[in-house]
Amino acid sequence: MWMVIALLAIVGGSLLFHALTPWWTTALASNWRQMDETLTITLVITGIFFVVINLFVAYCLLRFRHREGRRAAYQPENKRLERWLIGVTALGIAALLTPGLVVYASYVNPPPDALLLEVVGQQWQWRFRFVGAADKLGASDARFVSGANPLGLDPDDAAARANVVVTGNEVHLPLNRPVRVLARSNDVLHDFFVPPMRARMNIVPGQVSGFWFTPTVAGRFEAMCAQLCGIGHPNMRGTVVVEDEEAFKAWLGAQPTFAAMLAPAATAGVAAGDLVARGKGLAQSKGCVGCHSIDGSTIVGPSWKGLFGRTETFADGSTVLMDVAALRHKIREPQSRTVKGFQPLMPKLDIKDDELDALVAYIQAQAAH
């Protein structure tokens, strides 16, 4: 009897929790209401099975409970019951799969006039590319990936040189315009996910994934990686800004083309503020911000706040004053020594001397904050 009461309490409590829970999906900001409806269908069907099965078990416990003088009947086969179970189960599975397959077929087939956006994931940073003045995305290949070319674009391809490249974690999109997303990875498995858009897709190294959505609400929305991709995974976040068409065109026009990124940038005679600004951009484009904060908080590596001029203790017990020379050496040879309390996870960067100057200048600027 206690088991029957427990089962009834579980069923009642589950239904009550579902009715009163505050944990629902975030407000929809795209055209994919069908995804919410598919989720509702799944909850309803699985909920019905959950309630019916538990009530059936409770009924059996009562109806066929042990009584003196009665014995259970042994019935090795029941063809009629088996047919019913197969039929009901098949209908339930079909009802679960069919709506999802229909929605997915639409999800990966964008309209022909959709804006083309490429998303590139790399531990632990998002980068983006638009066609720009070209009519297509230019060629890319893993062999071209470097500190100066984080997206691996072909420098000899005219279309690639005309593409607009966004190396930071923030991308802007126009309101009420379909956006086709092509996603690829430079290293491990990632997943580009914007919860209010219901838009997400696994990004498998060596493959290009695709989906589309239409932003329907202006604002700033968080994008995140929804696949465990390493120790810095929780910090692999970005921002999708949805704005009107004119504001989007103005923002896009201010972003550099790949050809502009290839132009050499001399540091001699560059104003200190410009050098720091370039260092900030490099910290974003090279993924440094995924491991090092500038507000004093600890992520994966030491915070850059107050790092310059501080005496740092390493795992071997030695201490070093973090001046310009020490910072340059640590960035160039990250595995030479490990700061005490941290793991030796920093990869060796492909970084030019002028880029190193800018990055050190940016770290140095955090000492005054």
Side-chain angles (χ1 to χ4, degrees):
M1 181 58 71
W2 285 109
M3 183 61 71
V4 173
I5 295 174
L7 287 173
L8 294 178
I10 290 173
V11 171
S14 299
L15 293 175
L16 187 63
F17 176 81
H18 178 75
L20 300 179
T21 181
W23 297 313
W24 290 97
T25 52
T26 57
L28 187 67
S30 78
N31 59 310
W32 287 115
R33 184 170 300 280
Q34 303 100 303
M35 289 193 181
D36 286 4
E37 293 170 350
T38 302
L39 176 62
T40 300
I41 291 172
T42 301
L43 288 173
V44 169
I45 292 176
T46 56
I48 290 173
F49 271 81
F50 173 80
V51 171
V52 170
I53 290 173
N54 278 281
L55 291 181
F56 176 72
V57 172
Y59 164 78
C60 290
L61 288 173
L62 283 175
R63 176 70 175 79
F64 304 106
R65 66 186 184 275
H66 174 71
R67 295 174 184 171
E68 293 296 333
R70 298 187 60 179
R71 292 176 59 84
Y74 176 62
Q75 189 174 3
E77 292 186 4
N78 189 325
K79 300 293 186 181
R80 181 182 180 186
L81 178 60
E82 290 175 1
R83 286 193 292 268
W84 269 102
L85 289 176
I86 292 173
V88 172
T89 302
L91 288 175
I93 293 175
L96 286 172
L97 291 179
T98 302
L101 292 174
V102 171
V103 173
Y104 185 79
S106 176
Y107 186 57
V108 296
N109 288 285
D113 61 338
L115 173 71
L116 189 56
L117 168 67
E118 182 183 56
V119 177
V120 180
Q122 183 174 345
Q123 293 173 316
W124 292 277
Q125 173 80 16
W126 294 113
R127 299 182 178 94
F128 308 92
R129 178 165 58 132
F130 294 90
V131 296
D135 60 351
K136 63 178 181 178
L137 294 176
S140 62
D141 195 284
R143 70 179 186 273
F144 296 123
V145 174
S146 66
N149 186 6
L151 275 73
L153 306 188
D154 186 349
D156 296 324
D157 184 75
R161 294 175 67 88
N163 292 160
V164 174
V165 176
V166 182
T167 56
N169 277 330
E170 180 173 298
V171 65
H172 292 222
L173 296 175
L175 183 66
N176 293 323
R177 182 176 173 185
V179 178
R180 180 188 181 189
V181 178
L182 297 179
R184 58 187 174 90
S185 169
N186 278 347
D187 42 35
V188 300
L189 185 67
H190 296 290
D191 188 310
F192 185 71
F193 182 31
V194 187
M197 309 298 175
R198 303 300 186 267
R200 63 174 295 179
M201 180 64 70
N202 280 341
I203 310 174
V204 181
Q207 299 181 14
V208 177
S209 305
F211 63 97
W212 74 280
F213 65 95
T214 300
T216 57
V217 178
R220 297 176 65 87
F221 304 96
E222 183 181 45
M224 62 185 69
C225 180
Q227 283 287 353
L228 183 60
C229 58
I231 194 169
H233 164 72
N235 303 298
M236 191 170 175
R237 299 176 182 269
T239 302
V240 175
V241 179
V242 179
E243 55 197 5
D244 62 76
E245 188 76 26
E246 292 302 316
F248 166 72
K249 289 181 178 178
W251 172 85
L252 188 63
Q255 306 307 308
T257 62
F258 178 51
M261 288 182 60
L262 292 176
T267 58
V270 176
D274 294 338
L275 194 60
V276 170
R278 187 181 180 216
K280 180 179 180 180
L282 287 168
Q284 293 177 335
S285 65
K286 294 184 180 298
C288 306
V289 294
C291 296
H292 303 280
S293 73
I294 60 171
D295 60 3
S297 61
T298 299
I299 306 178
V300 177
S303 175
W304 284 352
K305 182 178 182 181
L307 176 61
F308 181 79
R310 185 172 70 207
T311 298
E312 199 72 274
T313 302
F314 292 90
D316 60 4
S318 62
T319 59
V320 172
L321 177 66
M322 301 306 292
D323 55 12
V324 171
L327 287 173
R328 290 176 66 90
H329 176 73
K330 182 60 179 171
I331 295 172
R332 285 285 193 196
E333 302 293 337
Q335 300 295 329
S336 59
R337 280 186 296 184
T338 304
V339 177
K340 185 177 181 180
F342 296 92
Q343 298 296 318
L345 301 172
M346 181 175 170
K348 190 169 184 177
L349 299 177
D350 181 9
I351 188 169
K352 300 177 182 177
D353 288 339
D354 59 313
E355 294 176 328
L356 184 58
D357 291 337
L359 196 55
V360 170
Y362 179 60
I363 298 173
Q364 186 174 357
Q366 309 313 310
H369 292 179

